[in-house]
Amino acid sequence: MVVGGAFLSTLAKPKLLFLGAKDVRPSRIDVAAIDRARILSSARRYLREVPLTIASCPAARSAGGKHDYFSEGDYWWPDPAHPGGPYIQRDGLTNPDNFTDHRRALVRLSVQMPALSAAWLITKDERYGAHAAEHLRAWFVDDATRMNPHLEFAQAIHGRATGRGVGIIDTVHLVEVARGAAVLEGSQSFASSAGDKVKRWFSEYLNWMTTSAHGIEEREAKNNHGSCWVLQVTEFARFTGNTELLSFCRERFASVLIPNQIAPNGRFPLESARTKPYAYSLFNLDALATSCHILSHGQDSLWEFELPDGRGIRKGLEYMFPYIEDKKSWPLPPDVQYFDQWPVRQPSLLFGGLAFSRTDYLKVWQRLNPDPTVAEVIRNFPIRQPVLWLT
């Protein structure tokens, strides 16, 4: 079990410590109605596609086996001065020759399975629930196709590492899968064939994330990696009923993520220093806002939490919103890749708009693209079925 860190009651005089906060999930936008046609169009298409897991994607350079997830660091390239030697880093520039088949399979799962779950949720048509459950059985239950519940070999670097803690960010795409699985608990297909075993997989993965050397390394990351560790542990703990880890994540959000990641003006300094400052700032804000949405209930509202100098998730949203509404006003250099493809329908605007009664956030959210087609954007946009999150 993960331990450590000061608890919320011992933080240095925060302005508000979850006292008297209003409920953070008021119903002011009908996401099911907004997304109905979109959800059903994609879900009908996915009914015709069979599950595909990492077991069908051999990874010749992996130090693991057939059922062990493997990926290679995006920004690592052959060294022209030492051909065949250890790779060197080129931050922000993705090497197209690195192995990505397992990641693509994982992203495919994260696109298809939640869409099928959303379709079941709004129609109760068991065809959608059954096919979503088929994906879950293939990935987490069936011995021939399942993925082992660890990421020991993720984000490897040729000549340097067989796997790294930073690879845990790859499974941020399982966050919405877990959310979709929780919604499917009302489906006969899921409950009768996969439910308990899927939860067992996520419990085992949580244990690895919170006790392994890679998991602890990622937990301590200072930038979006630390945010995504908390997001994953939060949702997987919610799905499996691990209240101790949920409490830990609430404390860590307020005592570690907010102080270390948000500047007094709301900027994300560690993301702004990268070669893709715009995309990384959006990604980090989405991760923080989604964790805040999951962890905030009634009087325990992390949305209202602020440090003595005013830093909190509200500040982060207020800083980024003008640049989401009008990217031309972005004050930093443009991203080295894919700058033109952002923003998309960032979930931070939806969750923050509801929490703070900001109709301007909700209006911008609704007009942005919900279905990007560029692989790099999809990879950094893991919350795509908001109806699952407002149930």
Side-chain angles (χ1 to χ4, degrees), residues 7-300:
F7 285 92
L8 287 175
S9 59
T10 64
L11 289 177
K13 298 181 181 179
K15 279 188 181 179
L16 177 65
L17 202 57
F18 312 148
L19 299 178
K22 64 182 179 181
D23 188 281
V24 300
R25 289 176 174 78
S27 178
R28 293 194 296 275
I29 187 168
D30 191 345
V31 171
I34 292 169
D35 272 1
R36 185 179 181 86
R38 168 182 172 261
I39 291 168
L40 294 181
S41 174
S42 60
R44 291 185 190 116
R45 184 169 69 255
Y46 299 148
L47 283 174
R48 302 191 294 269
E49 301 189 25
V50 300
L52 173 69
T53 77
I54 64 170
S56 62
C57 306
R61 293 194 291 270
S62 175
K66 176 180 178 181
H67 298 279
D68 296 321
Y69 181 91
F70 177 70
S71 64
E72 293 180 304
D74 298 287
Y75 306 143
W76 292 86
W77 296 70
D79 184 352
H82 301 283
Y87 278 14
I88 59 174
Q89 189 177 34
R90 298 170 63 186
D91 187 40
L93 298 176
T94 299
N95 181 353
D97 295 327
N98 284 343
F99 181 86
T100 58
D101 288 357
H102 287 182
R103 180 188 291 159
R104 286 201 298 266
L106 187 63
V107 171
R108 180 181 185 269
L109 168 72
S110 75
V111 169
Q112 295 194 8
M113 183 271 168
L116 292 162
S117 297
W120 177 85
L121 177 65
I122 65 174
T123 66
K124 296 302 186 287
D125 185 332
E126 201 59 33
R127 292 179 303 157
Y128 300 121
H131 202 55
E134 188 177 339
H135 281 276
L136 294 172
R137 284 194 303 272
W139 274 86
F140 308 119
V141 178
D142 295 344
D143 289 338
T145 58
R146 75 192 293 267
M147 171 181 157
N148 289 332
H150 67 77
L151 256 63
E152 288 290 342
F153 308 107
Q155 295 262 348
I157 303 172
H158 177 74
R160 296 183 182 274
T162 58
R164 299 178 295 155
V166 293
I168 292 172
I169 204 168
D170 286 4
T171 48
V172 73
H173 290 281
L174 290 182
V175 167
E176 197 161 77
V177 171
R179 175 63 57 147
V183 167
L184 277 184
E185 288 181 344
S187 162
Q188 182 178 357
S189 299
F190 179 69
S192 64
S193 65
D196 291 342
K197 293 179 180 178
V198 172
K199 279 190 177 181
R200 187 180 312 146
W201 190 96
F202 277 94
S203 291
E204 292 172 357
Y205 186 51
L206 263 178
N207 182 64
W208 181 85
M209 283 189 70
T210 55
T211 61
S212 68
H214 282 346
I216 293 169
E217 176 188 345
E218 187 73 341
R219 183 192 74 197
E220 296 304 314
K222 304 300 183 185
N223 61 1
N224 65 82
H225 282 264
S227 302
C228 286
W229 186 95
V230 167
L231 172 57
Q232 291 185 66
V233 171
T234 294
E235 182 57 20
F236 302 159
R238 190 199 70 85
F239 177 46
T240 59
N242 192 322
T243 56
E244 187 173 355
L245 276 175
L246 284 169
S247 295
F248 176 83
C249 287
R250 267 191 291 271
E251 179 271 328
R252 193 166 185 83
F253 183 95
S255 66
V256 176
L257 297 186
I258 295 299
N260 289 346
Q261 299 219 27
I262 299 180
N265 69 346
R267 186 171 63 89
F268 299 108
L270 295 173
E271 313 307 328
S272 299
R274 301 292 298 274
T275 58
K276 295 178 180 176
Y278 187 71
Y280 274 121
S281 294
L282 291 174
F283 180 57
N284 197 44
L285 179 60
D286 284 347
L288 291 172
T290 305
S291 293
C292 194
H293 176 76
I294 302 166
L295 292 168
S296 296
H297 298 281
Q299 292 187 351
D300 293 330

